[in-house]
Amino acid sequence: MATHHPHMPNATEEATSAMLSAVGASDVEELYEQIPERLRFRGELGLPEPMTEIELQQHVGGLLERNETCESNLNFKGAGCWQHYVPPVCDEIIERREFLTSEWGSPESDKGRNQAWFEFCSQLGELLELDAVGLPVYSWGNAAGFAMRMAHRLTGRTEVLVPESISPERQSVMENYSRLSSGERRLTIETVAFDPETGELDLDDLRERCSSSTAAVYYESPSYLGTIESGAETIADVAHEAGAECIAGVDPITLGVLDSPATHGADIVVGTTQPLGIHMNGGACSGFIASRDEEEYVVEYPTLLLSVTNTATEGELGYAFMPEQLHRSSYGLREDGNDYTGTSVYLWTIANAVYMSLLGKHGFRELGELVVERSHYAAQRLSAIDGVEVRLSPSFFKEFVVDFEDAPVSASEVNDHLKAEGIFGGVLLGEEFPTLGDAALYCVTEVHTQADVDRLVDAVTEVVEA
Amino acid sequence: MATHHPHMPNATEEATSAMLSAVGASDVEELYEQIPERLRFRGELGLPEPMTEIELQQHVGGLLERNETCESNLNFKGAGCWQHYVPPVCDEIIERREFLTSEWGSPESDKGRNQAWFEFCSQLGELLELDAVGLPVYSWGNAAGFAMRMAHRLTGRTEVLVPESISPERQSVMENYSRLSSGERRLTIETVAFDPETGELDLDDLRERCSSSTAAVYYESPSYLGTIESGAETIADVAHEAGAECIAGVDPITLGVLDSPATHGADIVVGTTQPLGIHMNGGACSGFIASRDEEEYVVEYPTLLLSVTNTATEGELGYAFMPEQLHRSSYGLREDGNDYTGTSVYLWTIANAVYMSLLGKHGFRELGELVVERSHYAAQRLSAIDGVEVRLSPSFFKEFVVDFEDAPVSASEVNDHLKAEGIFGGVLLGEEFPTLGDAALYCVTEVHTQADVDRLVDAVTEVVEA
Amino acid sequence: WDEPSIMEMGAAGRRGITFPEAESAVRDTVGSAADYLPDAVAREDDPALPEVAEPFVVRHYLHLAQETLGFTNISMWGTCTMKYAPTMNEQLEKRHLSNLHPRQDDDTLQGMLEIAHELDGYLQELSGMDRFSFQPASGTQSAFVFTSLLRKYLEDRGELDQRTEIVTTLYSHACLPATADVAGFDVVTLQPGENSYPSTEALEAAVSEKTAALMIVNPNDLGVYNPNVDEWVDIVHDAGGLCFYDQANFNSTMGISRARDVGFDASHYMLHKTFGNPKGGLGPAAGAFGCREELVEYLPTPLVEYDEADDHYSLDYDRPNSVGKVREFWGNLPLVMKAYVWVRSMGAEGIVEASNLSVLGNNYLETLLEDVPGLAKTVENVTQRRMEMTRYSWGELFEDTGVSTVDIRRRLTDFGIDAYWMSHDPWTYDEPFTPEPGEMHSKENIETYAEALRRIAEEAYDDPERVKTAPHNQSIDRVDEERIDDPDQWAMTWRAYQRKFGDHED
Amino acid sequence: WDEPSIMEMGAAGRRGITFPEAESAVRDTVGSAADYLPDAVAREDDPALPEVAEPFVVRHYLHLAQETLGFTNISMWGTCTMKYAPTMNEQLEKRHLSNLHPRQDDDTLQGMLEIAHELDGYLQELSGMDRFSFQPASGTQSAFVFTSLLRKYLEDRGELDQRTEIVTTLYSHACLPATADVAGFDVVTLQPGENSYPSTEALEAAVSEKTAALMIVNPNDLGVYNPNVDEWVDIVHDAGGLCFYDQANFNSTMGISRARDVGFDASHYMLHKTFGNPKGGLGPAAGAFGCREELVEYLPTPLVEYDEADDHYSLDYDRPNSVGKVREFWGNLPLVMKAYVWVRSMGAEGIVEASNLSVLGNNYLETLLEDVPGLAKTVENVTQRRMEMTRYSWGELFEDTGVSTVDIRRRLTDFGIDAYWMSHDPWTYDEPFTPEPGEMHSKENIETYAEALRRIAEEAYDDPERVKTAPHNQSIDRVDEERIDDPDQWAMTWRAYQRKFGDHED
C-alpha cells in the first residue's frame, strides 16, 4: 500500500515496516492513538487520482496556457502592480535552491542570506535616505496600516488623514487595521481632498482637518493616480505643527528622479518593493517600513529587524535579528507585541537587493527619466485624440488618468476594443473616482517602446473616431 | 570613449587610464605594437548599434517568437533528435552557474563536477553493462566514426560494414572519418541490406560481405527506421568469426526493455545521450563510446577518460582525467594522437547523470514500456486508415515508417495538411529510402498521450480520405 | 569567501545595467523628463548606491547563496513542515504566471481561476469547510482574516460590544492572540494543564457571554493532541462564540481528521509549507482561509465563482458584507498554483501517507533519541505517541554541563544540518527544541539527525567548550546578537553602520 | 559535504520519477509492450541503477555543484577567453529553443534562421570572410571542417594525390595537426624560432608543390604575434596551398585585424568562449567556420539562405560539392543565438573595447607580476607588448624550491581562484603557466590574482611543503592522478571500481 511517491523516500514497504518495528507499532493506525475515534475522518477524500510529473506538467501547463498574459498582449494596467523590466539576474539569484528553500537557520549557517537581507535594507535605505529599514511586510497597504498604528502608539491619538486619491483597495486594507483593543476605541481614517487639476493634496483642506487629535498625516507620491506630490515639505510641516506623525507612501522606483519624502520631513516612509525586480505574478505584493534610526520609532516596528554586528572573530561582520525586537513583536509578547508578525515575502527582498545593486548609483535616474518621458509621450499623444482627455497631467511618473467622458464610446468599450487587438487597456476608475469622468488609469514604463505606445494610440483612435 | 558596458568592469575612463599608466602606455594603440600597420583593420565594423539588455530581450524574444515550436504544436518528428520528457530537475542542475560556467579547473577544486561526470559514465555503464565509458563526443555519428577508426587501429583493416538502414546524415559524418593518413589509404564504408519486411539486418548479406578485410561490423538497434535488431548475437558472431570488431549503435533510452548490445557480443557500443534529459534545442547532439575495460580498447579512445582514484587522505575518493590517456589524445601527441579531441558537450552529461539517477533501476523499464505501447498504438491506428501502410512494423521502439504510396495524397501533402492543424508530421523518407514507398518516419514517445495520437490519426484520416 | 558588503563594492563608472534613451520622436514630443519633475521634489544627488558591473553582482549574490546552508541538506525545523520544492513548479510559475496582471479581465485568466476554484474544492474536501479565500498573505494573516471577519459577524448580530473576548491557549501560536488584539479583542489565554492542553474545566471557566471566539492549534507544538477538542467547540458554541482552528500543524492530520467535522467554524492552512511551496527564507507565503457556509459572505473580496452553465470562472467583487481586504489583489497566485500541483501530485492516498510518514518519522526519531544523555521528552505524563513533532528539553544537560540549547543548535549546523526550532515564547520547559522530520526526510536522514544530536550531547559532557564556542565549520564565527539590542550599536542599514562605526572602519 | 556516489545512494522501492501507465484504450488496442520486444534481446534484469527519491537526487547534485569552484570567482584560464554568461541568454534559450526540432519546416523556423543569417553577416564583417557555417560542434571540429573541405577542394582540382602536406607551427593548437592527420594529410610542424614563431625562411623551406595548406594560430598562446603572417600566406598561396587561420585567440584582435584582409582563405571562431557562450565544463560548444567565396560550395550542408524578394529564410540542402556533414543537423542553435546576442549587446565599439581591455588587462597583469620571485616571462627577447595572454615560467622557482607549476596551480585554488592553464604539449619552457584576464575581470581582480601568485611564490621559498601539499581548502585532498595510468587501477565507472576494489570497500 506504499505509494512510492518520488517526493517521499519512506513511502516504501521496507522503510515503513522497519520504522514501525523500531517504534514498536504494528501499523500506522496505532500512531494516532491520541485522536479519539469520533474525531477521525473515515471517509474517502474526494480528490482526483494522483498524476505523475509528466502528466502534471502537461495538465497544469495546459490550464495555464488558457490565460492571456502581459507578455503575449501589450499591457497598460498598473494600479499598484506594475510591469517593470525584471533583469534576468534577479530570477537567477532567487531561483537558487539555497535561497528558495531556506528556513530560519542560524546567523552563522545562513550568513549569506542574512547578508542579502541586510543589503536589501541598506540599499533601500540609500534610496530613502533613512537609516532604519525593517524587513518586509505583506504589501504597501499593510505597511501603511502598520505605520498608522505605529503613529498611534507614538502619539496616543486616533485620527489618521489619508489622501482622497488613495487606492480604494489600499484604504480597505488600512481599515482592517483601524481597530484598537478593548473594542471601544478605533482609529478613524479620514480623507483629505485633492486638487482636481493636479491631483496633489489640497493643502487647505489638510490644514483644516489636521488637529491635536491627528495621529498621522499619510500622503503618497506618486499617488495612486500617478501624480507627483510637490507639497511634501508643507504636508510634513502641517503634521508636525499639529504634533502628528507624517507618513509617506512611495514607489521606490521613482527615487532616482524624485526626492525621498524623508528629506522633506516624513517621519515614516512606507511603500511597495514590487517594482524593484519582482514579476507581477498576478498580484505580487511587498511592503516596507522605514524611518529615522531613533529608538522611539524603532521599538514600534511590528516587523523583524536585522542588524549588522560583530562575531567572535575580530573584524568579522555577521547579521542577526535584533533579539529584543523579536521579543517586542507578537512572537515574543503575543497580544502585547507590536501588532503581528509572520512569514512575509523575504525571498523577494533578495531580488530587490539584486535589482538595486544592478541599477546602482546611476540606473535609477536613467530609468526614471525614461519612464517619465515615455509615459508623458503616451499621455500627450492620447490627449490629442478628439474626445479623449488626460486628467491631472502636469506632473506624473508612470501612470495617468485618461478620461473618455467626451468620447462617443465609454472607457469600458475602449478596453473591449483594445483587448480584441491584443492590448490590455488601463484600469477603469469610473466607480472608484466618479469625479474624474469616465476614466481609466494607464501605466507606461520602460518596457513600453515608442512603437508600443503608438500602437495603443492607433487602436484608441480607431475606436474613438470610428 | 569608454562604453561602460555592464559586462566589462574596466570599460571606464578611470580603470583604463590607471592601467595604462601602470603599464607605461599612453594609449591602447601602443599595446598593439606587435601588429604591423598593414595588418591592422582601420575601417568601421558594419555592425548594428549596441542594444541594452531590455532592448535585446524584446528584440531577440520577438525574433524567436516567430518560430513555431514542438510545444505549441504537436510534434511527431524524431529521426535522431527526439522529443522525450525532460524532468525539470535536469534543467535546474545544469543551469547552476557552478556547472554552467565551469572551466577545466583542478580535480580538487572542481571535485563535484568531476564526480558528476563520473556518475554519468557509471550510470551509462550500468545501462550498457560495460565497464569502460569515455567522456562524450559531439554526436552519435561522430561516436560511430571514431569507433570505426578505433576498430581500424585494433585490426589494421580498412573495410567497415554498416546497415543500409543507417541515417544518411550519420553515414555522411562517418564518411568524413574514412580518410587515413598519407593520403593513399582510406576506410571504405559498405552497406549491408536490410530485410524489407522487418527492417532487421539481412544476415545472409552480412555473411557474404564480412571478410578478413573487415575492420568492423557496425549495426544499430533501434535502427534509424525504428526497428529493433533481434539478430544482435549473430551479427557479433559473424564479425568475430571474420576477426572483425563488432560495433553497435544504440539509443540508451531503450535499455530498460532491451538488452545492451554488449551482452550479445558487441565490442564497442556507441550512441547518443540526447534522449536522457537533454532538450532538442533544434538539434542537440551528444555521442558516447563505451567498451569492455580492456587495455587494448581503452588506449584507442579518442576521448578523454576520467577515473575515480584516491586522494592524499585515506579512504577519500577523487576523480581525474587519466594522464596518459590525455597524452595519447591529440592534446598530447598532436597528429600522432588518437584522432582528435576538443571541447565537447560535457555540461549535458550532467543532465544525463541526473536523468539516469531519477529514472533509476525501475524507471527505464516503465518508460520503455509506455513508449512501446503508445507508439504501437499509433502505428496500428494509422495503418487502419485506407491507403496508409505502416512498414517494418513487427517490432520497433518509438519510430516507425508510414507509407502513403497507396493513398490519394503524398506524404508531403499529408505533412502540409497536418501543419495547418498544428501538427508536425513525420520526417519524409522518400528521397533517402525510395524502397519504402512514399514514406515518413513517425516518432511517438512518452510525451504523446492517447489523445495526441488520436488527434494525429483524425487529421491524417481527414486528409487521406478527403 | 570573505565576501564584502555590496555597499563597498564597485568603482566609479561601472554599470550593472543600462537603459536605452527614449526614442527621438518621444524626446521631440515631450522634451526632457526634468520638465515634468516639480523642482520642489526633483532629486539632485544620485543615491549612494554601489557601482558594480553585472558579472560582479551575480558573483556576489552567488557567493552569498553559497554561504547559506538553508535547506540544502537535512532540515527538521519544527512547526514548518519542511517539504521538497519541485523544480517543475518553479518552471511553471516563471513561464506562465510571472506576466499576469491582477486586474486583467476574468476571461483572460480562465486557467488560473480554474486552478483556484479547484483548489478551493480540494481544501473543502480536506477540511470539511464550505469555502476558501486565498487572499491572506501568510498563516498569521489568515488568523487576522478570522478576527476581522469575527468583528463583522458580531456587528451584524449586534453583539460586538458584548463579545469582546477571544479565548486561546498558551500552546497555540502567538499569531492567534496577536491578531485577536489587532482586531480589537481582549485575549484570554488558558494555561497548560498537566497534559499540556488546559483542562476542559478551565475552558468552561473562561467562557462567558463575553466570549467572541475560541482560537486554537491542535495538535500543539509539543506534539500533543487535545482529545476533548470537540467538547471545547461545543462549549464555545453553546456560549455563542465561534471557533477557529489554526491548522498550521496540519501535516499530521491530513486526511486523518477534518476541522469542520470536529465542529470548527473556520480554519486555515499554509499553502507554503504544508502544501509544498518553498519557504523562501520567510515567504512569499499564502494562507488559505476556509469557513462554513454562514460565514462565507464575510470573506475577503474577491471570491472566485464558477458558472457551470457558461463554463466560466470569474472574480466576484460585489460582496457588500465582506471584510474587504487584508492584502491588495486576490492572492499570491504562484502559491495557489503550486498548492494545486501538490494535491494533484499526491492524490488522496499520497496525502494520507504523508500524514502517516510524518507521524511515523517523528516517532522513529523519538525512539532514536531515547537515551541521548541529558535529553528529556517534555510532558512525559502523556504516554501516547506524539504526532508529527515532539518537544524535548536539554534542561538536564544544561545543568550538568552549562551547554544550552542555543549552543547545541549552533553546533548542529557544523554537521551540515540546519539549526532546529527551539520553542515559541514563553519557554515553559528548559532549553527546549522541537524537531519535525515530515514526510520528505528519509529514514537514513532521521538516523543521521539523531546520531548528530547524540554526538553533540556526548561532546557537551566531554568537552563543553567545544559546543559553547560553536559553530566551527561555518562561513563566519559565532555572531554577537546581544550587542544589537543597544540602540547605539544596532545598525539596520549600511548607512547607519557607517554613521555609528565609520571611524573605526577607515 | 562528504558526498557519496549516487551509485551508493537510495534504497529499494524509492523512485526519482514515475511514469503513467498507458491509457486503457491503448492497452486494449496493442496488448502489452512485451509483445513487441523480441525475446532474443528483451531485457530481463533491471539495470543496476540507484533507487533514489527525487529530493535526494536534487540534493546530491546540488552538493556536487557546491563542491565545484568552476568560474564562480576569478578564473583567468588562458586560451579560453573566460567571459560572463548573461542570465538572460539562458532564459531565452530555455524559453524559445528547447522545443525546436531540427527537421521542422523552414517556415516554422524563420526567427532562428534570421538570427543565424544575421550572425553570419556579423562574422563576415569581423573576419572579412564571405560565408560561415555553424555546423562544427567545437573549435577543433572547425579545423576538421577545413581539412575535410581541403580534400574536396584538392580532389576537384585533381591535386589530392600531389598535395599531401599540411604545414603548421609548434605553437599552433594541437587540433590543427590532429585534424590534418584525421583527414589524411601529412603534417609538417615548424619549430619555434627565437621570437617563438618560426622564421619565414623555415616556412619557405617547408613549402613545396606537396603543400596542401598552412594552418596556424596567431597570436600564439605565448602572446606573441607573428608580424610576417601576410608574407606567410603569400608564400603558401604562391605554392598553390590554402591558408587556414585558427582564431581561437581572437579576443585580442577583434576589430583590430581581420583574417581575410591578412590573406587567409578560411578561419574559425569559437562561439563558446569568444562570443559569450559559457564553457559548461567542456561544452556544449560551437565553431563558426568561415571562408572566401571560392570555397563556399564545399561548406557542410545545409547553409542558411535568405530570399530577399520573399523575405524568407531557408536551409539549403542541395549542395552537391559540399563535404557533407561533420555533425548531425545544422548547428548548436542555442550557441548561435547567444553569439548573436553577444554581438548585438556589444556593438562595434564594445567589441573593439573588449580587445583593448583584454590586451590592456594582460599587460597590467604582467606589470604586477614583474618582480615575483622565481618567475620569468618567456620569449624575453620579444620586448614588444604581449597580446591577451603571456606565457610565464616558474623554472627558476622550481630549481630553487622544488615547487612545481602544478603545485602552485593547486595552491591557487585555495585562494578561491580557479586553477590556471599551464601550456599545451610539449612544454618548451619549464614549469609554464598562461593566464588570460580577458575583458570580464576587473582591475581589482587582476591585482588579487597577481597578489595571490606573489604570496604563493614567497610561500614556496619560505615553506615549500605547504605549497607542495596543496590544496588545503578544497572539498577533497590532493588527488592521486598517477595511479590511474595503471590499467589495474583505473576505473572509469562505478562497476569497474567495484570489480577492482570492491573487496577493499566492503
Side-chain angles (χ1 to χ4, degrees), chain B residues 13-27 30-31, chain D residues 359-370 385 443 446-447:
Chain B
E13 289 74 6
E14 290 80 350
T16 307
S17 67
M19 288 197 291
L20 278 172
S21 119
V23 305
S26 56
D27 60 26
E30 258 187 75
L31 303 176
Chain D
V359 177
L360 177 56
N362 184 47
N363 277 279
Y364 184 57
L365 179 60
E366 252 193 58
T367 306
L368 299 177
L369 292 178
E370 221 163 306
R385 297 180 193 282
K443 176 170 169 292
I446 297 170
E447 289 157 3

Side-chain angles (χ1 to χ4, degrees), chain A residues 74-79 382 399-400 402 404 411-412 414-416 418 423-429 439-443 456 460, chain C residues 101 103 105:
Chain A
L74 183 56
N75 170 54
F76 293 97
K77 292 187 199 298
L382 284 169
E399 290 183 286
F400 52 95
V402 183
F404 295 93
S412 165
V414 170
N415 275 3
D416 290 344
L418 292 177
I423 299 173
F424 294 161
V427 169
L428 299 180
L429 292 175
L441 187 63
Y442 275 74
C443 175
L456 169 70
V460 171
Chain C
H101 190 278
R103 302 290 291 266
D105 290 347

Side-chain angles (χ1 to χ4, degrees), chain A residues 259-410:
Chain A
D259 281 335
S260 165
T263 64
H264 296 292
D267 302 294
I268 303 176
V269 182
V270 300
T272 171
T273 70
Q274 182 267 327
L276 308 179
I278 301 173
H279 295 284
M280 294 186 295
N281 286 331
C285 295
S286 169
F288 69 84
I289 304 175
S291 70
R292 292 184 299 281
D293 178 12
E294 292 169 8
E295 188 175 0
E296 58 173 334
Y297 286 92
V298 171
V299 299
E300 297 300 348
Y301 276 65
T303 67
L304 299 185
L305 299 176
L306 183 89
S307 174
V308 61
T309 182
N310 295 334
T311 76
T313 294
E314 176 77 29
E316 191 177 65
L317 297 183
Y319 308 87
F321 291 132
M322 287 154 53
E324 276 189 22
Q325 174 64 19
L326 187 59
H327 179 68
R328 279 188 293 266
S329 79
S330 61
Y331 279 121
L333 294 178
R334 298 173 67 92
E335 66 269 26
D336 297 325
N338 290 334
D339 306 331
Y340 67 82
T341 308
T343 300
S344 175
V345 294
Y346 283 44
L347 180 68
W348 287 342
T349 71
I350 298 179
N352 296 148
V354 174
Y355 184 88
M356 290 186 279
S357 37
L358 284 172
L359 265 69
K361 186 179 166 83
H362 305 292
F364 279 95
R365 179 178 299 278
E366 201 172 91
L367 175 65
E369 290 180 348
L370 178 64
V371 169
V372 168
E373 286 161 11
R374 285 198 178 147
S375 58
H376 280 269
Y377 172 76
Q380 291 184 25
R381 288 220 52 203
L382 284 169
S383 65
I385 302 170
D386 244 19
V388 178
E389 192 190 350
V390 173
R391 308 281 297 268
L392 318 178
S393 60
S395 84
F396 59 82
F397 182 73
K398 65 188 169 193
E399 290 183 286
F400 52 95
V401 176
V402 183
D403 176 8
F404 295 93
E405 191 77 41
D406 296 338
V409 287
S410 69

Side-chain angles (χ1 to χ4, degrees), chain C residues 120-228:
Chain C
D120 185 352
Y122 305 157
L123 284 161
Q124 290 170 25
E125 197 60 34
L126 286 161
S127 66
M129 295 295 161
D130 293 314
R131 194 62 179 277
F132 277 82
S133 164
F134 302 121
Q135 194 178 89
S138 71
T140 297
Q141 217 176 37
S142 295
F144 185 58
V145 166
F146 176 72
T147 57
S148 300
L149 174 152
L150 178 64
R151 281 196 72 92
K152 194 84 182 174
Y153 168 84
L154 293 173
E155 230 166 55
D156 274 13
R157 299 166 65 99
E159 296 182 346
L160 186 56
D161 293 337
Q162 171 200 329
R163 297 190 181 273
T164 56
E165 290 179 356
I166 286 181
V167 179
T168 185
T169 67
L170 188 68
Y171 288 143
S172 288
H173 192 275
C175 72
L176 303 183
T179 54
D181 177 72
V182 171
F185 293 97
D186 297 324
V187 175
V188 178
T189 301
L190 304 179
Q191 295 303 307
E194 61 169 346
N195 294 334
S196 85
Y197 46 87
S199 66
T200 304
E201 293 70 40
L203 175 74
E204 280 168 334
V207 167
S208 72
E209 76 291 344
K210 292 169 71 181
T211 300
L214 173 74
M215 295 176 78
I216 54 167
V217 170
N218 193 34
N220 62 27
D221 292 355
L222 286 60
V224 178
Y225 190 95
N226 178 350
N228 311 314

Side-chain angles (χ1 to χ4, degrees), chain A residues 22-92:
Chain A
V23 306
S26 57
D27 60 25
V28 289
E29 272 301 305
E30 257 188 76
L31 303 176
Y32 295 108
E33 56 183 335
Q34 287 192 86
I35 310 182
E37 179 57 32
R38 67 180 188 281
L39 301 181
R40 287 295 302 275
F41 173 71
R42 294 296 185 186
E44 286 284 312
L45 289 171
L47 298 176
E49 284 297 303
M51 283 185 176
T52 62
E53 186 181 79
I54 178 171
E55 291 171 295
L56 263 172
Q57 193 191 61
Q58 292 176 342
H59 166 70
V60 178
L63 275 176
L64 293 174
E65 276 293 333
R66 290 199 214 153
N67 297 329
E68 291 284 332
T69 74
C70 300
E71 198 178 13
S72 49
N73 293 267
L74 183 56
N75 170 54
F76 293 97
K77 292 187 199 298
C81 185
W82 304 280
Q83 189 172 9
H84 284 288
Y85 181 66
V86 177
V89 167
C90 296
D91 292 330
E92 176 179 349

Side-chain angles (χ1 to χ4, degrees), chain D residues 56-342:
Chain D
F56 293 74
V57 170
V58 174
R59 193 195 282 173
H60 172 69
Y61 286 102
L62 175 72
H63 290 174
L64 294 188
Q66 290 172 328
E67 287 185 341
T68 301
L69 176 60
F71 190 11
T72 63
N73 202 32
I74 298 171
S75 172
M76 301 202 187
W77 188 273
T79 78
C80 277
T81 308
M82 301 307 289
K83 278 189 200 309
Y84 172 59
T87 312
M88 177 181 77
N89 294 359
E90 303 306 314
Q91 288 189 358
L92 287 169
E93 169 182 339
K94 186 154 141 197
R95 175 65 181 268
H96 295 289
L97 296 182
S98 55
N99 280 302
L100 291 188
H101 190 278
R103 302 290 292 266
Q104 283 179 218
D105 290 347
D106 293 341
D107 56 355
T108 66
L109 294 172
Q110 290 297 301
M112 185 62 226
L113 289 168
E114 179 172 340
I115 284 173
H117 181 264
E118 291 298 302
L119 180 62
D120 185 352
Y122 305 157
L123 285 162
Q124 291 169 24
E125 198 58 37
L126 286 161
S127 65
M129 295 294 161
D130 294 313
R131 194 63 180 278
F132 277 81
S133 164
F134 302 120
Q135 194 179 86
S138 72
T140 297
Q141 215 176 40
S142 296
F144 184 57
V145 166
F146 177 71
T147 58
S148 299
L149 174 152
L150 178 63
R151 282 195 71 91
K152 194 85 179 174
Y153 168 81
L154 293 173
E155 231 165 55
D156 273 13
R157 297 166 64 100
E159 295 183 345
L160 187 56
D161 293 337
Q162 173 202 328
R163 298 191 180 274
T164 56
E165 291 180 357
I166 285 180
V167 179
T168 187
T169 67
L170 187 68
Y171 288 142
S172 288
H173 191 276
C175 72
L176 304 184
T179 54
D181 177 72
V182 171
F185 293 97
D186 297 324
V187 176
V188 179
T189 302
L190 303 179
Q191 296 303 308
E194 61 170 347
N195 293 335
S196 84
Y197 45 88
S199 67
T200 305
E201 293 71 38
L203 175 73
E204 280 170 335
V207 166
S208 71
E209 77 290 343
K210 292 168 72 180
T211 301
L214 174 73
M215 296 176 78
I216 55 168
V217 170
N218 193 33
N220 62 29
D221 292 356
L222 287 60
V224 178
Y225 190 93
N226 179 350
N228 311 313
V229 60
D230 52 342
E231 282 178 62
W232 284 38
V233 167
D234 290 343
I235 290 165
V236 173
H237 281 165
D238 288 348
L242 295 179
C243 296
F244 173 75
Y245 196 168
D246 175 355
Q247 294 244 271
N249 296 350
F250 189 48
N251 222 57
S252 56
T253 54
M254 303 181 294
I256 304 298
S257 179
R258 306 202 304 179
R260 182 73 191 118
D261 298 350
V262 174
F264 284 94
D265 304 290
S267 60
H268 96 84
Y269 303 87
M270 300 190 302
L271 299 189
H272 55 298
K273 307 178 185 175
T274 314
F275 283 75
N277 276 289
K279 187 81 192 295
L282 278 165
F289 178 87
C291 61
R292 63 181 168 83
E293 191 57 44
E294 294 75 6
L295 301 176
V296 170
E297 60 179 312
Y298 303 110
L299 285 174
T301 292
L303 281 186
V304 178
E305 299 287 350
Y306 176 55
D307 181 335
E308 207 161 344
D310 292 350
D311 188 24
H312 189 264
Y313 298 88
S314 60
L315 288 168
D316 180 12
Y317 283 90
D318 185 19
R319 309 183 55 258
N321 282 340
S322 162
V323 299
K325 291 279 183 181
V326 293
R327 170 196 185 271
E328 289 91 324
F329 312 119
W330 62 282
N332 215 331
L333 307 193
L335 282 87
V336 171
M337 181 274 286
K338 290 186 264 188
Y340 173 90
V341 171
W342 183 78

